[in-house]
Amino acid sequence: MNGKQGVAVLVAGDVGDDPAGTAATAVATHTAAADPLQDRAYADGKFATIAVATNLSGDVAQLDTFVPDCLARVAAIEQGTAFPQALNVDGNAQITNGSLTVTDLTKGYRFKVDGSVLDMEATSKDLIVSVWPGTGFNGTQHSYEQYAADALAAQHAGKREWADGLYGTVRHTLDGATNPPVFSARRLSAGKPSPAHGRTARPTSLLLPRSQRSGSSTIRRHLDVGAWP
């Protein structure tokens, strides 16, 4: 058999096979090798670059530090103990079950939803309400209202119009530049006839101090415009 005569003893080489234990030895050697397929060094150089954010360099083993650090940073943002340097949102954004505070840590706004009403609040400095005509907060800024931080006081600038609806017919006008308190006397009247004359009583100006509400022909002319026959 296989060129042997008499009582033949076959070995692995007689049939083209490996000696016993060869496969086990090969597997053990492969497992113990640092880079048995010569692909780990290649992968380290390629995939670590894909995983890099801004400061990761070297091989993928550094991900063991980088990934936990990322998770810790995200957790800090979610818990409100860390602040992103900037935030841009493309699309709708929603804050649920909490208030929105915009602050530089010395002054700020707060849009508050807890409680039974909605609050828009400012802290530390006066609150100015203004509008820009441009698309990027540019052009001539129009400032309409100022709410004092240190007193219960407010100022309103420009022309004020009272209409029957937004962008509708104007019924009353108050212009800070020209200063005429032009209100309809009939509309401001309480509508109660005078006992002596049976006429609707003249209204008192709501825009002047009590000491100036009578005795002035200028005031009377403003109150009488278009209201008395």
Side-chain angles (χ1 to χ4, degrees):
M1 179 180 289
N2 198 29
K4 295 183 178 183
Q5 297 178 356
V7 178
V9 178
L10 299 178
V11 296
D14 292 332
V15 293
D17 204 352
D18 295 324
T22 300
T25 301
V27 170
T29 301
H30 181 90
T31 303
D35 193 0
L37 301 178
Q38 300 300 307
D39 61 349
R40 294 183 183 178
Y42 173 84
D44 285 347
K46 296 295 181 181
F47 299 114
T49 302
I50 295 174
V52 88
T54 55
N55 59 354
L56 178 65
S57 61
D59 59 35
V60 291
Q62 293 199 26
L63 289 174
D64 293 339
T65 301
F66 182 75
V67 172
D69 180 66
C70 287
L71 295 177
R73 290 170 183 263
V74 171
I77 294 172
E78 292 177 340
Q79 295 165 11
T81 58
F83 299 91
Q85 295 300 309
L87 176 64
N88 292 308
V89 178
D90 184 4
N92 296 329
Q94 178 174 304
I95 297 176
T96 304
N97 298 324
S99 299
L100 173 63
T101 299
V102 182
T103 179
D104 63 2
L105 303 181
T106 62
K107 60 186 181 298
Y109 308 89
R110 180 168 63 186
F111 297 89
K112 191 176 177 182
V113 297
D114 57 343
S116 59
V117 297
L118 298 174
D119 294 324
M120 184 184 73
E121 304 171 336
T123 188
S124 179
K125 301 294 182 181
D126 293 355
L127 175 63
I128 305 294
V129 178
S130 64
V131 177
W132 299 82
T135 58
F137 295 97
N138 56 342
T140 301
Q141 183 180 18
H142 302 292
S143 298
Y144 295 101
E145 299 176 343
Q146 173 257 333
Y147 297 93
D150 57 356
L152 188 60
Q155 287 188 343
H156 305 275
K159 183 170 67 174
R160 297 277 160 164
E161 295 179 343
W162 281 260
D164 54 10
L166 290 179
Y167 303 102
T169 302
V170 175
R171 302 299 184 184
H172 308 295
T173 300
L174 181 61
D175 193 335
T178 58
N179 199 35
V182 183
F183 282 86
S184 167
R186 291 186 187 277
R187 291 181 182 275
L188 287 176
S189 169
K192 297 180 180 179
S194 167
H197 305 288
R199 299 173 63 187
T200 301
R202 292 175 182 266
T204 300
S205 172
L206 302 179
L207 307 174
L208 299 171
R210 184 181 299 275
S211 61
Q212 301 179 23
R213 291 181 186 173
S214 60
S216 168
S217 60
T218 301
I219 296 172
R220 287 200 299 274
R221 282 199 300 274
H222 285 316
L223 291 175
D224 290 347
V225 171
W228 294 88

